[in-house]
């Protein structure tokens, strides 16, 4: 079945370490996204990518980096520069802006990062 | 800068009652989405609203969009316990892929 796979589901990190969260989709979607969610809060956009080899900063990009070398993959690196990285990270993808459900986001199951 | 506000933030209601969640946004947009999130889980798409006056219904939920007022509503009819969840609206500025989410409305339906 088509979908979005995020890994790992749970990750523990020591302060000062970089970690990379994986996001893979087989929906043939062009656009992919990373959001951060803190407990009891909404989703905040970290980075998004409309096409391969191109991406844009969202509202909270500081301390994060991404790459988009393949259409299917959009990994997120949480660097040591991110001061408060403990959160739930959600990856999503969307179809092109056409059709009945234009731009609808499909989400992965999320990755929960805890900094010790 | 696009801002998206939802109200109420918290909603506790009795089974069988009706209620409406509101989503206001600050700039021109031609697309608005509603999602549901259960505790500890990811988001599930509910509705896609693509034009002024659009109305979509699924079961006890109905969503509408007024682009002139920059307002969307999610109406709950005869609530049941299974509808307890957090509901988010999301908006993208016209022609862009930058989706901004509202703060969410945490709904609790009491038996």
């Amino acid at each position: 079945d088509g979908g979005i796979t995020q890994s790992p589901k749970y990750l523990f990190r020591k302060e000062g370490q970089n970690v990379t969260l994986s996001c893979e989709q087989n929906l043939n979607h062009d656009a992919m996204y990373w959001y951060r969610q803190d407990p009891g809060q909404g989703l905040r956009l970290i980075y998004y990518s409309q096409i391969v080899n191109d991406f844009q900063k969202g509202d909270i990009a500081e301390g994060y980096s991404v790459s988009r070398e393949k259409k299917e993959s959009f990994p997120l690196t949480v660097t040591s520069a991110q001061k408060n990285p403990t959160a739930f990270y959600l990856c999503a993808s969307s179809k092109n802006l056409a059709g009945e459900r234009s731009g609808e986001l499909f989400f992965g199951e999320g990755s929960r990062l805890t900094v010790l | 800068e696009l801002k998206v506000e939802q109200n109420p933030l918290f909603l506790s209601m009795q089974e069988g009652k009706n209620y409406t969640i509101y989503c206001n946004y600050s700039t021109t947009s031609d697309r608005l989405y509603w999602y549901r999130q259960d505790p500890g889980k990811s988001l599930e798409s509910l509705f896609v609203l693509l034009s002024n006056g659009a109305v979509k219904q699924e079961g006890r939920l109905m969503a509408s969009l007024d682009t002139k007022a920059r307002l969307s509503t999610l109406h709950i009819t005869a609530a049941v316990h299974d509808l307890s969840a957090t509901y988010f609206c999301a908006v993208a500025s016209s022609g862009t892929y930058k989706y901004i989410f509202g703060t969410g409305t945490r709904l609790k339906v009491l038996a």
Side-chain angles (χ1 to χ4, degrees), chain A residues 101-116:
Chain A
R101 295 186 77 85
S102 170
E104 181 182 23
L105 293 177
F106 293 79
F107 284 87
E109 293 298 306
S111 293
R112 201 169 296 276
L113 172 63
T114 302
V115 173
L116 304 172

Side-chain angles (χ1 to χ4, degrees), chain A:
Chain A
D1 283 357
I4 300 176
T5 301
Q6 288 188 241
S7 63
K9 279 194 171 182
Y10 300 93
L11 183 62
F12 297 89
R13 177 194 110 170
K14 293 182 180 179
E15 282 193 29
Q17 289 181 333
N18 292 356
V19 293
T20 297
L21 307 181
S22 170
C23 178
E24 303 277 334
Q25 55 101 356
N26 60 4
L27 299 169
N28 198 33
H29 287 171
D30 286 313
M32 297 187 73
Y33 313 79
W34 276 105
Y35 286 91
R36 168 180 172 144
Q37 187 177 34
D38 292 287
Q41 304 295 315
L43 278 69
R44 292 186 289 166
L45 182 62
I46 305 173
Y47 272 98
Y48 64 106
S49 167
Q50 295 176 219
I51 56 172
V52 175
N53 293 322
D54 188 40
F55 48 83
Q56 288 77 39
K57 292 182 179 180
D59 295 329
I60 57 164
E62 186 175 350
Y64 300 98
S65 66
V66 293
S67 62
R68 187 85 188 279
E69 297 176 2
K70 298 187 300 181
K71 186 175 183 177
E72 308 79 37
S73 179
F74 192 40
L76 173 74
T77 297
V78 184
T79 75
S80 56
Q82 170 50 236
K83 296 306 177 190
N84 186 19
T86 294
F88 187 44
Y89 291 88
L90 287 158
C91 178
S93 68
S94 70
K95 302 174 185 179
N96 289 332
L97 300 184
E100 186 178 341
R101 295 186 77 85
S102 170
E104 181 182 23
L105 293 177
F106 293 79
F107 284 87
E109 293 298 306
S111 293
R112 201 169 296 276
L113 172 63
T114 302
V115 173
L116 304 172

Side-chain angles (χ1 to χ4, degrees), chain B residues 5 17-18 25 32 35 53 60 66 76 80 90 93 108-109:
Chain B
E5 293 183 351
K17 299 293 187 182
N18 304 335
Y25 54 96
L32 190 138
Y35 295 88
R60 300 174 187 275
D66 181 343
I76 303 156
V80 294
S93 296
K108 186 172 184 179
V109 181

